[in-house]
């Protein structure tokens, strides 16, 4: 009989505590993405290969994972593809037969999605459906549209990878549109997510388990999430949402400049923290001031070294990438020197190739949130 919350390396207790099946569900990220790759292989997206659309409009509402997934894909893709991309909470009035409309969401009963589908069909736009085709949405489509509805059913809190994969598949299928750079294959993204899920299996000890290490860093401490680009800022926001939805942990999202200001003002207000000294004695030195929030910075392997140098001196800082070898614990240490010189594009903006590492990082954070929930944070 369990008498308390399990620790991170008590495998049997972790599994026993997972009464909602969150660990198996979060580990299906790769399966969600692979189901989109299978739809590609079956030719579901073949109609898009013949089109040179005036625009791609993504209607994703304002709730659920569809909206942040859309923001991430747009950040990575928009500067490399020669078609305007519009993300909107409802269908714009100018849609016509030259446009591609993607309807993305979790709720087939969402009347905004149903309205977008119905009006797009009437105006003879090409419609792609990344939502359950049932109820009002099915009626609105009337048998039309490209079916990218989810084939792998998971908790809606874990649907982020499925939306990213569906949107990525749409853009790589527009072969008549010029695309600069190299977009990742959907199947390769699935492989990367499967590898991350295996590495973070509850049977792997914390020392070799990035999700457990991150959970340990998050446990019992307030946190601030930061991104250094538009895409990594989306990842930071998704991290904060996942922690709240899965573990009940409230964290903040901030910009890099705000974090530097926060740390400086905290130090000026509280002074140095005596509890960090090996000579600290609470009976002599008095109560220690509260610890400042721990800062987590999401970035990519190509920008990792430069972000660490930029934020050097901010104290309790974790720089996180989807490349586990690059991640470090407290401080902004990490690599001893800069990597091979990246291009200006690598440092200035998100790129299609960043999607793999960013999605791996999102999965790691979601698994860490599940572990926090199971140990009763």
């Amino acid at each position: 009989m369990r008498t308390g919350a399990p620790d991170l390396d008590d495998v049997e207790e972790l599994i026993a505590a997972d009464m909602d099946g969150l660990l198996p569900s979060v580990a299906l990220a790769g399966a969600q993405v692979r189901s989109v790759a299978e739809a590609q292989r079956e030719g579901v997206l073949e109609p898009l290969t013949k089109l040179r659309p005036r625009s791609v409009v993504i209607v994703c509402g304002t709730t659920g994972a569809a909206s942040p997934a859309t923001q991430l894909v747009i950040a990575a893709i928009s500067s490399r593809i020669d078609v305007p991309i519009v993300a909107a909470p409802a269908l714009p009035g100018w849609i016509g037969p030259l446009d591609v409309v993607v309807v993305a969401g979790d709720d087939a009963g969402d009347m905004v999605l149903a309205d977008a589908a119905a009006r797009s069909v009437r105006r003879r736009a090409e419609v792609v459906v990344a939502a359950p085709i049932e109820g009002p949405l099915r009626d609105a489509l009337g048998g039309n549209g490209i079916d990218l509805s989810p084939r792998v059913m998971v908790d809606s809190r874990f649907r982020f990878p499925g939306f990213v994969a569906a949107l990525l598949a749409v853009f790589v299928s527009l072969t008549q549109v010029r695309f600069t750079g190299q977009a990742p294959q959907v199947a390769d993204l699935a492989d990367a997510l499967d590898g991350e899920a295996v590495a973070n299996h509850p049977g792997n000890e914390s020392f070799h388990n990035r999700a457990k290490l991150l959970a340990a860093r998050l446990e019992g401490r307030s946190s601030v999430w930061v991104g250094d680009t538009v895409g990594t800022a989306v990842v930071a926001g998704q991290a904060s949402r996942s922690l709240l939805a899965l573990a009940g942990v409230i964290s903040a999202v901030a910009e890099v400049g705000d974090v530097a200001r926060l740390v400086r003002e905290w130090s000026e207000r509280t002074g140095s923290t005596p509890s960090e000294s090996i000579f600290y004695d609470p009976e002599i030195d008095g109560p220690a001031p509260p610890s400042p929030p721990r800062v987590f910075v999401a970035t990519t392997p190509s920008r990792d070294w430069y972000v660490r140098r930029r934020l050097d001196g901010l104290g309790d800082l974790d720089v996180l990438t989807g490349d586990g070898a690059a991640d470090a614990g407290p401080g902004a240490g990490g690599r001893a020197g800069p990597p091979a010189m990246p291009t200006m594009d690598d440092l200035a903006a998100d790129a299609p190739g960043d999607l793999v590492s960013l999605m791996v990082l999102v999965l790691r954070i979601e698994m860490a949130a599940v572990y926090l929930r199971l140990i009763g944070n």
Side-chain angles (χ1 to χ4, degrees), residues 41-365:
R41 190 191 66 79
E42 294 170 0
V44 170
L45 292 162
E46 185 67 23
L48 296 181
T49 64
K50 303 178 178 67
L51 300 180
R52 188 174 179 83
R54 176 178 62 173
S55 69
V56 176
V57 178
I58 306 168
V59 180
C60 50
T62 57
T63 61
S67 181
T70 298
Q71 295 171 29
L72 178 60
V73 174
I74 290 177
I77 296 290
S78 60
S79 65
R80 308 302 179 95
I81 191 168
D82 286 354
V83 62
I85 306 172
V86 178
L91 189 74
W94 46 263
I95 292 298
L98 299 179
D99 302 302
V100 172
V101 176
V102 182
V103 179
D106 291 313
D107 184 6
D110 187 336
M111 296 311 297
V112 171
L113 300 184
D115 173 72
R119 288 198 286 140
S120 298
V121 169
R122 285 201 305 269
R123 297 180 185 188
R124 300 176 61 190
E126 191 71 60
V127 183
V128 182
V129 186
I133 301 179
E134 55 191 38
L137 183 56
R138 179 184 58 198
D139 296 340
L141 289 166
N144 298 291
I146 295 172
D147 184 2
L148 277 186
S149 59
R151 300 182 178 188
V152 177
M153 297 299 106
V154 296
D155 188 304
S156 62
R157 291 171 289 184
F158 302 130
R159 283 283 295 136
F160 190 88
F163 287 123
V164 169
L167 295 172
L168 176 61
V170 167
F171 288 112
V172 299
S173 296
L174 295 172
T175 54
Q176 300 300 312
V177 177
R178 189 170 72 93
F179 195 111
T180 58
Q182 186 66 42
Q185 296 298 312
V186 178
D188 292 339
L189 176 57
D191 290 341
L193 292 175
D194 283 340
E196 180 69 15
V198 170
N200 294 329
H201 187 277
N204 295 334
E205 295 181 353
S206 295
F207 185 76
H208 302 289
N209 189 315
R210 289 280 168 180
K212 287 184 178 181
L213 283 173
L214 180 55
R217 295 286 290 168
L218 286 161
E219 186 180 10
R221 183 81 173 270
S222 58
S223 60
V224 177
W225 292 85
V226 179
D228 65 313
T229 64
V230 174
T232 55
V234 173
V235 172
Q238 182 64 17
S240 181
R241 283 187 290 271
S242 295
L243 287 168
L244 179 60
L246 295 168
V249 173
I250 298 174
S251 56
V253 182
E255 297 180 358
V256 172
D258 293 332
V259 168
R261 192 178 305 110
L262 167 68
V263 173
R264 183 175 63 253
E265 291 176 354
W266 188 287
S267 298
E268 292 173 353
R269 186 168 62 251
T270 63
S272 60
T273 305
S275 58
E276 293 178 350
S277 170
I278 60 173
F279 302 107
Y280 169 66
D281 186 334
E283 295 185 1
I284 298 174
D285 299 314
S291 299
R294 180 164 286 147
V295 179
F296 294 89
V297 183
T299 189
T300 60
S302 64
R303 292 192 298 272
D304 175 85
W305 187 87
Y306 299 90
V307 170
R308 293 178 190 276
R309 301 289 76 75
R310 179 183 180 186
L311 301 177
D312 193 21
L314 286 188
D316 206 358
L317 179 80
D318 289 63
V319 178
L320 305 176
T321 75
D323 175 12
D327 293 350
R335 294 175 178 154
M341 183 62 69
T343 66
M344 285 300 295
D345 285 345
D346 291 332
L347 297 177
D350 302 288
D354 292 336
L355 280 173
V356 173
S357 64
L358 292 179
M359 288 305 301
V360 166
L361 180 55
V362 168
L363 176 58
R364 185 178 306 161
I365 293 167

